[in-house]
Structures are given as structure tokens and as C-alpha cells.
Amino acid sequence: KREAGKIEVAEPRNKLPRPAPSLPTDPALYSGPFPFYRRPSELGCFSLDAQRQYHGDARALRYYSPPPTNGQSPNFDLRDGYPDRYQPRDEEVQERLDHLLRWLLEHRGQLEGGPGWLAGAIVTWRGHLTKLLTTPYERQEGWQLAASRFQGTLYLSEVETPAARVQRLTRPPLLRELMYMGYKFEQYMCADKPGVSPDPSGEVNTNVAFCSVLRSHLGNHPLLFSGEVDCTDPQAPSTQPPTCYVELKTSKEMHSPGQWKSFYRFRTGVDRMRTLHKLLKWWAQSFLPGVPNVVAGFRNPEGFVCSLKTFPTMEMFEYVRNDRDGWNPSVCMNFCAAFLSFAQNTVVQDDPRLVYLFSWEPGGPVTVSEHRDAPHAFLPPWYVEAVTQ
Ligand code: A3P
Ligand code: MG
Ligand code: MG
């Protein structure tokens, strides 16, 4: 039925279909100067317990407690307790932004920057931003990010790609054990209280997590994101989060850590590329939340960590600065800013049930498709209803 008084505009006869918008990811396109990135500040935190239940406090925060430096090298058996003392998180459960939204619901009245700040912000997980940062250099794994606008705010939530799902469901036993070993290393390096020695006799339960909620700004994009933090260093020069936080990593022992630099200069081939890539991921993950140090444990082929090395986040780029196969932080940040602008311009309708799905596969541009409701809508009714009041 035609509405009275409504003017109908005829379509021009020669109108061409509008090309679907897309965003290229070639590093060469993003090599300008480093963009503005506001020093991240912590707005709050939350914890997930052994049953993956949310608590609006720091109960899951652990304390950095490295072995004494008395000349002896560590000897951490990362395979100890596998699989009998391992409680892995159920990866079939898609939590999307839920825990972060719960924190936001409980704190949105007290956000610095006033009530209008959130309406202009982008809300997401740190891990999703890490994937954006590394995209120009990624050659293996694609990603999908679902985006919805609601009361002005742009929410970004990752969707597991079909390929990633297949990989997860067919993960070889050795890779499962390797995942365990990363968490086991944390248990050797952290204590539940400050000034206490770690107790590696218990279970490794990967449901447990401490998450920091941070505020920052990239280019003209206000950001609110949350990321899991491995531990805090009670001896850090500043006790103020996030500068007291420490990220823990394990890595294959290739050379003694003292020869790390020469490794970069002289080694060639696949191992070297892998290591460059790993360092990029470490940098992206810790730079975003302002975590100043990554402590690496180097494991030998038997799965023992016999050496440790601290990598200051702000010095990681120095290892690759003069390398033609290296990565450039400016490219990462400029691409991320360009993607956020692309998303802001694409997601125009304010509707929590409408989802724009951004998809990327290595070698191609970022493309976008539109979806309504299940299965892609990710803002839960309890959140939408509480905020709509
Ligand atoms: P590593 O630190 O040795 O990589 P994080 O380092 O982010 O705190 O994660 C802790 C551990 O979780 C990792 O140890 C690794 O074992 C596991 N892990 C994290 N992300 C992973 C991924 N995408 N695939 C496989 N394992 C992962
Ligand atoms: Mg972690
Ligand atoms: Mg870690």
C-alpha cells in the first residue's frame, strides 16, 4: 500500500550495482607514521573462576614469582600433570562478549569521560584487536568479526571461522599437550599471594582467568577493551596497572637466550620467520593493553624450561627494525585504525539484532556481509533490555 504524500524517486535506468565495499590489507598501504595511540588506562577488572563463573573483582589475579636468581637455572617440567591434573575450558561454549558486557552493565554509570563517552566508543576483546594488528603480516589464519551498533557504541565480537573450527576439533594430541604446557609454565611462575613461592602441585584449570578492562584511543577511535592478564609483579617499579602486569610465554629453545640477537642476524629460513612472527604476536598482544614486559620460558625438546628471558614490549621492534622480512608496528596500528574506520562507516544502522560480518582470508581484502538475528547476533537480550530501560 502506497503512503499518501510520499514522493517516489525513480531509479536511474543506467544505474550500476554499487561495488561491495572492501578493505585491502597489503602492508605497503599502511606504512605511514605511527598513529596516535593513547596510553591505555585500566578502568577495572573481573575474574572468572574454576567453573568459569564471573566475579567483579581481582580474585583470579596471580603474582609474578620467578625462581631465585642464585646462579641456578630453572628446570620446569611443563609436561608434569598432563593429562591427569588438567581441567581444560570447554571450547564449544561461545562466550562472545558476554563477560565484558556484564562488567560494562555494572560500571557504565561510572565510566570516566561521562555517559556520552561510551556512545562513541568501540567495545571488544583485546584478542580481537591483536588479530587486527597482525593481519597485514598474517599468511595462515583468516578471521571473522561480527559488528553491531547499539546506542551509538560499536561492538566487535569474533566468530570462529569454519576452518578454525575444523582445526580445533581435529587438534593433534601433541598440540593439545603443547597448549597445556603454556599454562603449566604460568603455574611455575605465579603464586596466589604476593611474596609466596609458586605451587605447581595443583591442577591446571584454564577456566580461571583475570581480565583487565582498559580504555584507550586509536586515531579518532575511543576504545574500551578487555584482555586476560597472566600476573602482576609485586616488585614492579610502578604498582599501577597496567604497568605492573607481566605476560608469560613459552617458546622453543633454539639457542641460549644470550644468543637471541645473533639468532636474528645469522639464521635464515623457516625457523627465523616463525620467530619473527611470534615476536610480532607477542608485541601486538602486550602493546595494546600497555603491558610492559613479556617473560619467555625456553623449553627444550623434552619439555623442560631451563632458561628465562624478559622482553620489554617497547624493545621488541628493535629486533626486526633493520630486517627486510621484519614487521612494522606502524603498519599494524595504521591497518587497525583503517579497519575501525571501515567498520564505523559500514555499520550505520543502530540495531542490536543487525550484524555486519567482516571476513578476511590471507591474500585477500576484508569483505562484509549483513545478517539479522541468529546465529550471528551476539548482543544478549539481558544486556539489550537492561540498557534500553
Ligand atoms: P604460550 O604462552 O606458551 O603461548 P597467553 O600466552 O595468551 O597467556 O596464553 C597462555 C597459553 O594458552 C599459551 O601458552 C598456549 O599454550 C595457550 N594458547 C593461547 N592461545 C592459543 C592458541 N590460539 N592456540 C593454541 N594455544 C593457545
Ligand atoms: Mg594469558
Ligand atoms: Mg601468556
Side-chain angles (χ1 to χ4, degrees):
K1 191 165 157 247
R2 289 170 74 170
E3 277 177 64
K6 197 171 170 190
I7 300 165
E8 293 197 348
V9 181
E11 291 262 305
R13 245 170 297 160
N14 60 352
K15 193 179 156 194
L16 295 167
R18 203 157 20 123
S22 68
L23 182 73
T25 65
D26 317 52
L29 298 172
Y30 299 99
S31 61
F34 197 85
F36 171 73
Y37 188 64
R38 179 194 192 266
R39 187 163 50 86
S41 54
E42 186 176 77
L43 297 175
C45 66
F46 58 87
S47 294
L48 303 173
D49 67 17
Q51 285 76 41
R52 204 66 180 172
Q53 293 303 302
Y54 175 102
H55 302 274
D57 54 42
R59 71 182 65 188
L61 177 60
R62 289 182 294 178
Y63 297 84
Y64 183 60
S65 177
T69 47
N70 53 4
Q72 280 194 359
S73 45
N75 195 34
F76 302 149
D77 180 2
L78 298 186
R79 299 164 69 191
D80 178 52
Y82 185 82
D84 36 294
R85 283 181 286 133
Y86 185 27
Q87 298 284 346
R89 181 176 74 84
D90 180 358
E91 292 175 279
E92 272 299 300
V93 181
Q94 307 281 329
E95 298 174 324
R96 312 208 257 200
L97 297 185
D98 289 8
H99 298 305
L100 175 55
L101 296 178
R102 168 133 184 217
W103 182 91
L104 201 49
L105 201 53
E106 289 171 10
H107 296 87
R108 74 198 157 105
Q110 306 116 258
L111 289 182
E112 46 181 282
W117 184 83
L118 185 61
I122 295 170
V123 171
T124 191
W125 284 109
R126 178 271 310 271
H128 302 358
L129 295 173
T130 305
K131 288 200 176 176
L132 289 171
L133 257 61
T134 58
T135 295
Y137 300 105
E138 177 64 49
R139 284 158 194 210
Q140 313 253 332
E141 282 163 20
W143 49 253
Q144 291 191 313
L145 275 176
S148 289
R149 192 180 297 286
F150 177 46
Q151 296 193 347
T153 309
L154 184 68
Y155 296 86
L156 298 175
S157 176
E158 192 180 12
V159 174
E160 187 179 49
T161 63
R165 181 176 162 78
V166 169
Q167 289 235 332
R168 171 167 64 79
L169 295 175
T170 60
R171 197 178 280 146
L174 269 174
L175 214 56
R176 287 170 206 246
E177 187 167 12
L178 215 53
M179 276 182 72
Y180 169 82
M181 290 161 71
Y183 296 111
K184 186 68 188 175
F185 177 59
E186 298 175 359
Q187 204 185 47
Y188 281 111
M189 296 290 289
C190 300
D192 291 340
K193 296 184 193 76
V196 170
S197 292
D199 173 15
S201 70
E203 291 201 322
V204 170
N205 185 323
T206 57
N207 289 292
V208 181
F210 168 78
C211 294
S212 173
V213 182
L214 301 125
R215 173 192 167 186
S216 186
H217 217 278
L218 171 57
N220 54 352
H221 303 290
L223 301 173
L224 188 153
F225 58 93
S226 176
E228 194 251 343
V229 167
D230 288 341
C231 56
T232 183
D233 182 359
Q235 318 250 46
S238 163
T239 56
Q240 195 180 23
T243 53
C244 53
Y245 292 151
V246 180
E247 172 61 41
L248 301 170
K249 291 288 179 194
T250 63
S251 196
K252 206 157 94 183
E253 181 182 78
M254 308 206 215
H255 284 259
S256 76
Q259 292 171 313
W260 186 265
K261 267 218 157 81
S262 57
F263 166 80
Y264 280 102
R265 288 206 195 107
F266 304 121
R267 280 292 285 252
T268 52
V270 121
D271 269 358
R272 184 175 153 284
M273 287 311 287
R274 266 202 203 116
T275 309
L276 289 181
H277 199 77
K278 196 160 198 170
L279 211 56
L280 162 62
K281 292 197 170 170
W282 291 4
W283 171 79
Q285 182 187 25
S286 288
F287 176 77
L288 281 164
V291 172
N293 290 300
V294 176
V295 175
F298 295 94
R299 61 180 143 72
N300 65 20
E302 290 72 46
F304 283 72
V305 163
C306 301
S307 61
L308 303 169
K309 183 170 166 67
T310 300
F311 293 91
T313 305
M314 299 310 278
E315 292 170 22
M316 289 181 186
F317 175 53
E318 299 310 320
Y319 290 97
V320 297
R321 189 189 282 279
N322 300 313
D323 197 313
R324 70 193 159 77
D325 301 318
W327 44 271
N328 187 330
S330 300
V331 169
C332 301
M333 297 301 277
N334 285 326
F335 171 75
C336 186
F339 173 80
L340 298 179
S341 298
F342 179 54
Q344 287 285 19
N345 294 330
T346 305
V347 186
V348 280
Q349 274 201 62
D350 199 296
D351 181 345
R353 294 167 55 184
L354 188 62
V355 173
Y356 294 78
L357 188 63
F358 293 91
S359 301
W360 179 72
E361 283 301 325
V366 180
T367 59
V368 56
S369 56
E370 266 185 62
H371 306 263
R372 182 166 281 282
D373 296 325
H376 287 310
F378 60 88
L379 291 169
W382 55 260
Y383 182 73
V384 172
E385 279 155 28
V387 173
T388 305
Q389 305 282 315

